Amino acid sequence: MDIVILAVVIAVVVLGALGGLIVGSRRRKPLPPPPPAAPDITAPPAEPHVGEEAETPREEPRRTIEEVDLPAGAGPVVIEEPPAAEAPEIEIPEPTAGRLVRLRARLSRSQNALGKGLLVLLSREHLDEDTWEEIEDTLLTADVGVQPTQELVERLRERVKVLGTRTPEELRGLLREELITLVGPEMDRTVHTENPAGGPGVVMVVGVNGTGKTTTTGKLARVLVADGNTVVLGAADTFRAAAADQLQTWGERVGAHTVRGPEGGDPASVAFDAVKEGKEMAAGAVLIDTAGRLHTKTGLMDELGKVKRVVEKQAPLDEVLLVLDATTGQNGLVQARVFAEVVDITGIVLTKLDGTAKGGIVIAVQRELGVPVKLIGLGEGADDLAPFEPDAFVDALIGE
């Protein structure tokens, strides 16, 4: 009996110990988070009642517009409309008559190498062989060329010997006459823009890279507009980036229409379309700006010949103007020969003739090609392209 009681006591103790362990482990475990509280739901506003269920409107005090106080200084609200795109203002170019005379100061910057140098040498008391050799050197340095230099020196020697006396006025008059003779006053320097068939005159502008063909074409448009012509521009320089944009800007300034094509497109096609549109618009002149090309690149020169042939299918070419950089001197003559063989040059445009350019290049290039200098560029201004006038040119070279 005692054994049974002992066994019962032991069992109760064991069960009590196990119960304590279970309760302790439950106390150590974290309690799960309480469930989220239910959100407050705001009841939607009651819908307005209509008909018999509608409430009787309540009278509220109202103010008239005169009783409402406005902020101090407030005025009527004005809604500004965006400004409309304005058309570019059409410029009126400077008249071309006597333009070279007005630009004489710029041209005279190159007179030290030619005009004044010759006058100083001719004014010496004794004109011996050394002096005449210096005169020859001065002419050659001024890019006059070998053959024209020899001719001028021979005539000067003969006339100085006949004169006997050599006052400054006599020497200046003598030198002026001989230089004008070399320049060639009898040459036709008109830029022909009249087509005998009645259509527009077609002018193609050619030259090597960097001579300023596009700028010259734009300035030539101003010259023609100033003389009363309507002009269409053909942007056939499709290889140089922004060449067409540049030419179009020049045209917009004087109201000239510009025909252009895609960049890298066929220049002959653009030239053809320009002449076609010029005829349809009854324009006075069509100016075609071509891409600059090295005279040594046979493929590019052949392409230039193609542009000329394609244009002539639409209308005859009245002028082919070769643009030369006057600062290149005798090197420009090599370029001129090649271009003359490909497209039959009819006239020369000498750019950058102010500053470091030698005035004698006018004589040399005319002798080389047998065609006249028709236009000269004397600066960066829009109206610094002037028709060539032999008398004014020589007067600027030798000074007053």
Side-chain angles (χ1 to χ4, degrees), residues 14 128 146 154 220 233 358 394:
V14 171
D128 52 16
V146 176
E154 289 299 322
L220 178 56
L233 298 173
K358 312 300 192 337
V394 171

Side-chain angles (χ1 to χ4, degrees), residues 224-374:
L224 296 178
V225 169
D227 291 339
N229 294 284
T230 55
V231 177
V232 171
L233 298 173
D237 183 357
T238 59
F239 299 109
R240 184 170 64 88
D245 293 337
Q246 181 184 357
L247 187 65
Q248 184 170 351
T249 300
W250 278 103
E252 289 174 348
R253 293 178 180 177
V254 293
H257 175 62
T258 301
V259 178
R260 54 189 296 177
E263 186 174 340
D266 183 11
S269 175
V270 176
F272 182 88
D273 291 342
V275 178
K276 181 180 178 181
E277 291 196 28
K279 293 171 66 175
E280 293 173 352
M281 297 171 60
V286 177
L287 305 182
I288 301 173
D289 176 37
T290 61
R293 59 201 72 230
L294 295 175
H295 58 288
T296 56
K297 298 295 184 181
T298 305
L300 294 177
M301 296 303 293
D302 291 342
E303 183 185 63
L304 184 62
K306 173 190 172 184
V307 174
K308 178 178 181 291
R309 292 190 300 272
V310 170
V311 168
E312 289 176 332
K313 292 180 180 179
Q314 186 68 248
L317 269 173
D318 298 281
E319 290 278 5
V320 179
L321 299 178
L322 174 63
V323 180
L324 289 178
D325 184 340
T327 61
T328 61
Q330 297 293 316
N331 292 332
L333 300 183
V334 179
Q335 306 166 7
R337 294 190 199 104
V338 179
F339 277 91
E341 293 172 359
V342 175
V343 288
D344 299 324
I345 303 300
T346 61
I348 305 295
V349 181
L350 279 175
T351 62
K352 308 175 187 178
L353 196 57
D354 60 328
T356 60
K358 312 300 192 337
I361 190 63
V362 172
I363 300 170
V365 72
Q366 289 185 156
R367 284 294 188 93
E368 180 66 31
L369 299 182
V371 297
V373 172
K374 295 191 173 185

